[in-house]
């Protein structure tokens, strides 16, 4: 009996020993596997991002959240948790029509600290909209983080008499962007856009020469809006009654087409933004003949196909007459702004 109990005890000990040895071997193997799976560097080091990347991810999340809110899937509580607000613009692109305002706005939106209003709001140049009040205007602004700058653009602001005073009443220290092109080229571009609209509706339209030149005097017709808009100094002088010249930045619209980064760098400096827009964000599309925008490795976009319309042929003598007409106004514009262009 005793012998059988001793034999049974030895068998149990052998089993327990085998289990213990097996456990040890498993742990050794497990540790070895873990050693082989250890990353070369610590995980927290691999997750470190620069401030601009964090801002960009935040901005992308904000845009998605705003889209969900508009669809009815998001809540204002979610926006509150993310500290998203609708801010009045700290900078406005006030003109000039056909100077490249849309291109400038879209390119500035490449900067992670800039948020743009998608549509032209026409608050200050439209009496009906202006009567709705400043909170209505704010409601048209995009959601943004407090550290971001909101920018809107409405080219009609530059030439509308009431606008400078109205903007001054909202914010006397606001920064104002004006993008200009060679005045005669801009006038023809203005005409081309209107002409295309007329043709789309199967309506006839006068030739540019007939509109730009007064047939009774054979002089430049300053009553024609496309001509009048190109007299930049006349409009700027009205703005200078309310704002010092230091609050304006003049953007070369012709250079923005051929060398956008150099112009965008100057705007970043004017807006006191850290330099974030680089060659990576801009690539030339040979088919379209324009630079397109790259926001990240996944998302890129080009401006609408309506940009860069082909201009109709214009009598060279009329172009020369317009260039001579604009010349003294251009010289005064250079003196006021401190920026010189190679216009005729």
């Amino acid at each position: 009996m005793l012998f059988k109990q001793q034999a049974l005890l030895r068998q149990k000990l052998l089993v327990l020993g085998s289990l213990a040895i097996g456990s040890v071997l498993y742990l050794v193997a497990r540790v070895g596997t873990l050693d082989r799976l250890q990353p070369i560097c610590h995980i927290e080091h691999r997750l470190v991002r620069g401030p601009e990347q964090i801002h960009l991810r935040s901005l992308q999340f904000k845009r998605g959240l705003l889209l969900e809110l508009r669809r009815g899937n998001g809540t204002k509580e979610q926006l509150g948790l993310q500290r998203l607000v609708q801010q009045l613009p700290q900078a406005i692109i006030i003109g000039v029509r056909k100077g490249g305002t849309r291109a400038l706005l879209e390119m500035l939106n490449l900067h992670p600290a800039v948020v743009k209003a998608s549509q032209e709001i026409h608050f200050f140049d439209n009496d009906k909209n202006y009567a709705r009040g400043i909170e209505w205007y704010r409601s048209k602004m995009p959601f943004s983080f407090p550290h971001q700058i909101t920018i809107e653009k409405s080219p009609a602001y530059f030439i509308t008499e009431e606008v400078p005073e109205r903007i001054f009443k909202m914010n006397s220290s606001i920064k104002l962007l004006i993008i200009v092109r060679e005045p005669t080229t801009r006038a023809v571009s203005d005409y081309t856009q209107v002409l295309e609209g007329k043709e789309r509706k199967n309506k006839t339209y006068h030739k540019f020469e007939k509109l730009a030149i007064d047939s009774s005097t054979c002089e430049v017709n300053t009553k024609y809006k496309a001509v009048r808009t190109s007299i930049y100094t006349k409009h700027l002088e009205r703005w200078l009654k309310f704002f010092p010249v230091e609050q304006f930045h003049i953007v070369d619209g012709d250079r923005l087409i051929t060398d956008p980064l150099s112009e965008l760098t100057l705007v970043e400096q004017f807006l006191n933004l850290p330099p974030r827009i680089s060659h990576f964000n801009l690539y030339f599309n040979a088919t379209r003949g324009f630079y397109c925008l790259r926001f990240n490795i996944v998302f890129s976009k080009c401006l609408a196909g309506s940009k860069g319309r082909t201009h109709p042929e214009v009598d060279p003598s009329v172009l020369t007459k317009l260039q001579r007409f604009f010349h003294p106004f251009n010289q005064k514009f250079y003196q006021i702004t401190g920026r010189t262009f190679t216009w005729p």
Side-chain angles (χ1 to χ4, degrees), residues 223-289:
K223 294 181 180 179
Y224 177 40
K225 189 175 181 179
V227 169
R228 195 167 63 250
T229 299
S230 285
I231 309 175
Y232 304 140
T233 184
K234 288 290 186 181
H235 305 293
L236 182 59
E237 286 172 345
R238 183 170 57 250
W239 284 85
L240 291 172
K241 293 177 183 178
F242 295 91
F243 299 96
V245 70
E246 292 78 18
Q247 282 178 234
F248 296 87
H249 178 73
I250 309 301
V251 180
D252 186 340
D254 294 307
R255 194 178 179 201
L256 190 71
I257 296 172
T258 59
D259 184 18
L261 185 58
S262 60
E263 285 298 314
L264 294 172
T265 299
L266 294 175
V267 177
E268 285 179 323
Q269 295 170 1
F270 173 69
L271 297 176
N272 295 321
L273 293 172
R276 291 292 182 269
I277 303 174
S278 67
H279 286 290
F280 169 80
N281 301 116
L282 301 159
Y283 66 95
F284 187 75
N285 187 313
T287 303
R288 301 177 67 100

Side-chain angles (χ1 to χ4, degrees), residues 321-336:
K321 184 182 284 287
L322 284 168
Q323 290 168 354
R324 289 174 178 170
F325 169 80
F326 288 127
H327 182 76
F329 296 110
N330 295 341
Q331 296 302 312
K332 191 170 184 180
F333 185 71
Y334 302 160
Q335 293 172 2
I336 293 173

Side-chain angles (χ1 to χ4, degrees), residues 208-226:
F208 176 79
E209 292 88 340
K210 187 171 183 177
L211 294 169
I213 304 298
D214 188 330
S215 58
S216 62
T217 63
C218 292
E219 297 299 328
V220 172
N221 180 17
T222 55
K223 294 181 180 179
Y224 177 40
K225 189 175 181 179

